[in-house]
Structure formats: structure tokens, C-alpha cells
Amino acid sequence: MPLMNIPAGLCDNGLITGVMPFTGDLRHVCLRALFSQDLPALTTLRSIHYTPGNMSTSTSVQNPNIGANLPIPTENMGTHNPDSGGLIDTATAMSALVDILDGQPITPPSLYIDLEGVNLSRHGTISILQIYVLPLRRAYLIDIHILGEKAFSTLSSTMGRTFKDILESETIPKVFFDVRNDSDALFSHFQIRLAGVQDLQLMELATRTFSRRVVCGLARCIEHDASLSASERSSWMATKERGTRLFAPERGGSYQVFNERPLNEEIRRYCVQDVHLLPRLWAHYYGKLTKAWERRVCEASRDRVALSQTPGFNGKGRHMALAPAGWSWL
């Protein structure tokens, strides 16, 4: 089989934009591992460590089908074992999770992240950080309410890295939807300086063929761009409705539900659901991005993180709906 290229990602720096040249056998292992439940292939893939010396700089190949058919999870996940996809609430479980996260492939991005909390910002708290690992097709919920700083400082058992190291790595892509308040909370409470961020909200804005004046919310993007089947849409809407009733004050709920232990099962499902669909959105938008817009999205994602760390940042208000400066005219 001839030498083939797989795109390395969105941002125009180092590992994230270069294209990894794969021989036929290795490419087969990678694709089989990424888009199936083939555990031997995943084991082989996890043993590969990508370095700048292995990258070429040729034009990437866009694949709009990556992640397009991932099911919405409905199974009952465990509570302590990271391999079960359950709540990570001990240092031992966190160490095991960092081992799982470290060294995952970067093409397409493996890590899709969202946070929940009480007034999620510098003025509130972080309750749960949910992370979906695409090659494993599994979501993990990290209990920040219980672990606190240990969630970010606990060393992995093999590589000696921490979750903070992964979040701050420029060469490990992390996909968020509107990173601003998440970054604000992580930086303010735990001094996490996010790097390698790909912001799906900006990717959606960049791929529009109509006005770019204001951004879309996650629910609207999922409805329009996640390619949900009728049954998936029904399940997604029902889970969203049940979860919202429990935490939204205007619906009679309270955000404190994210801090209740054991975690309410409907809240667990709510946390897993949206992050589980982020790979579909990434695939949809990435397949439509031009190289010029890739660069703009990368720059604007970094700008959002930097802005969230400034003393005067305000994550609430109508200004949050506005496009980056100049985008509405492009």
C-alpha cells in the first residue's frame, strides 16, 4: 500500500497542523483503532508517540466523516474505575486516567472537554470536568468538587505527567465549545493556562455562508450540524430536558445538583451527552474549513483563552454573543 497522509489538526503550529506520513500498515491500524471498538488496534496505537521529527508540512486532507456516526451513550457507567467511564473522584483513579489520556493520537483530536459548575467562572466554582476520548469512544467525568487541585496535580503512574500538563500542552489538541468561561474558571481557581485549544463555536462561525455577526450556542449547533437520527434527537432532547429541570433555577432547579454525591443519574447523563457529540461537530466544521479560516480560528481560540485570563474579563452579557473583531466583514 502506498504512503498516505492523515491530517494532524487545526492550528498552524507544530504537531497540530503538520501531516503525519503513515505507511499502509500503520495507517490501517490508526483508522481501525479510531473508528471501531478494536482493542488490539487501540493498544498498538497508544504505543505510538508522535514527535515533530515525524511530521511533514504538506497540505492536510479534510475528512468530514470523522466521528459522524458515534452513538449517544445510554449505558450505566461505573463510579470509580476510569475504564468504566464513570466519576473520577480519587487520586488513584485520576492517575490512571492521566495514563489513558497521555499519548492519545492527535489526528483527529482525541480530547473533547466541557465543564459544569455553580456560576462557572472566577466568581463561582467548578463541579465536574467531562472529557470525551474519541479513540476509546468513552466519556470520563472528573469530580473537581471532591478532588480540587489534586485533579490537576496528580502524577500518572507511568509517564510522570499530570492533567495540568495535558491541558497546558500546545501539541495536544483539546476541543471545547466556547472556551472562555471554562478557561476563566480553570485559570482563576487552579492556575491552568489552557493551550492547544480548538474552539468549535469559532469553527462553526468560520464555516458559515451567511452573516458572521453573532455566534451560535451549542444546542443550536447540535440540532443543525450533528447529523442526529430521529431516535438520537429524541434521546438528546429528553436527556437535556430532564437535566435542565434539575439545575436551572428558572425551571425550579439548582446548580448545586452538580455538587451532590452520589451524582444524580440524570445529571450524569446530561454531562456525558453533549461532550459525546462534540466530535461530530468537529468533523462537520473541519471538513468545510479553508486554510485561511483555519488560521483565523486558531488565532481567535488563543485570543479567547488570553482574554479569559485578564483581570477585567466578564463572561456574562450580550458581548459574549459577538463574533471576533473583523469577522463579520470577511
Side-chain angles (χ1 to χ4, degrees):
M1 187 177 294
L3 185 70
M4 301 187 72
N5 287 331
I6 294 180
L10 179 69
C11 295
D12 201 10
N13 60 3
L15 289 176
I16 301 179
T17 56
V19 176
M20 172 69 74
F22 287 93
T23 62
D25 289 343
L26 181 53
R27 181 178 184 274
H28 176 71
V29 168
C30 289
L31 292 178
R32 183 155 54 93
L34 285 171
F35 306 122
S36 74
Q37 298 285 355
D38 193 326
L39 295 181
L42 284 170
T43 300
T44 301
L45 187 59
R46 277 186 53 75
S47 69
I48 301 166
H49 294 278
Y50 305 125
T51 63
N54 291 330
M55 308 299 291
S56 77
T57 57
S58 57
T59 303
S60 63
V61 180
Q62 296 177 343
N63 184 351
N65 297 316
I66 293 171
N69 297 307
L70 301 180
I72 296 177
T74 56
E75 73 279 8
N76 183 21
M77 298 180 181
T79 56
H80 294 288
N81 181 358
D83 280 332
S84 74
L87 200 63
I88 309 301
D89 57 5
T90 69
T92 300
M94 193 66 218
S95 177
L97 179 61
V98 176
D99 274 333
I100 291 171
L101 301 179
D102 197 16
Q104 289 289 338
I106 62 171
T107 309
S110 290
L111 309 182
Y112 299 77
I113 300 175
D114 192 18
L115 281 74
E116 305 293 347
V118 180
N119 187 22
L120 184 67
S121 66
R122 65 188 61 189
H123 306 295
T125 61
I126 304 173
S127 302
I128 296 169
L129 186 151
Q130 51 264 48
I131 182 165
Y132 184 80
V133 184
L134 177 61
L136 306 182
R137 298 190 181 187
R138 193 173 296 275
Y140 301 97
L141 305 184
I142 302 175
D143 194 338
I144 308 299
H145 177 65
I146 296 297
L147 286 175
E149 189 270 341
K150 289 182 181 178
F152 306 102
S153 63
T154 298
L155 293 173
S156 69
S157 60
T158 58
M159 301 299 291
R161 298 237 285 177
T162 66
F163 188 41
K164 183 178 190 288
D165 293 330
I166 292 173
L167 291 173
E168 295 187 335
S169 172
E170 287 279 3
T171 59
I172 301 174
K174 278 81 59 179
V175 180
F176 289 76
F177 189 96
D178 191 357
V179 71
R180 291 172 290 183
N181 281 326
D182 293 346
S183 176
D184 177 28
L186 286 169
F187 178 72
S188 299
H189 299 300
F190 300 105
Q191 295 73 56
I192 305 295
R193 297 180 179 272
L194 288 175
V197 169
Q198 299 182 12
D199 194 318
L200 282 169
Q201 189 178 57
L202 294 173
M203 291 176 69
E204 186 279 329
L205 196 65
T207 57
R208 285 188 196 171
T209 56
F210 55 96
S211 171
R212 294 191 179 95
R213 190 175 65 86
V214 295
V215 298
C216 279
L218 178 57
R220 181 178 176 85
C221 289
I222 289 174
E223 286 187 56
H224 287 271
D225 299 327
S227 302
L228 298 179
S229 66
S231 62
E232 286 175 334
R233 181 182 296 273
S234 177
S235 175
W236 171 70
M237 292 180 67
T239 298
K240 187 175 185 64
E241 172 65 17
R242 290 193 295 266
T244 302
R245 285 180 187 171
L246 291 172
F247 70 75
E250 65 273 16
R251 302 289 300 277
S254 168
Y255 284 103
Q256 290 294 337
V257 72
F258 290 111
N259 291 336
E260 294 175 0
R261 300 294 180 270
L263 188 67
N264 181 287
E265 176 61 15
E266 295 297 344
I267 290 297
R268 187 197 65 79
R269 291 180 184 274
Y270 177 90
C271 290
V272 168
Q273 175 172 266
D274 284 352
V275 76
H276 194 279
L277 292 172
L278 295 186
R280 293 197 190 190
L281 296 180
W282 185 92
H284 180 82
Y285 302 138
Y286 182 71
K288 297 164 66 177
L289 277 177
T290 66
K291 298 305 291 185
W293 276 108
E294 284 186 24
R295 288 191 292 271
R296 292 188 186 108
V297 169
C298 185
E299 292 167 1
S301 296
R302 287 197 297 263
D303 290 345
R304 279 187 160 188
V305 171
L307 176 64
S308 74
Q309 297 172 0
T310 59
F313 175 73
N314 176 13
K316 299 185 184 299
R318 301 174 76 175
H319 65 283
M320 294 289 286
L322 298 178
W327 277 35
S328 59
W329 306 106
L330 295 173

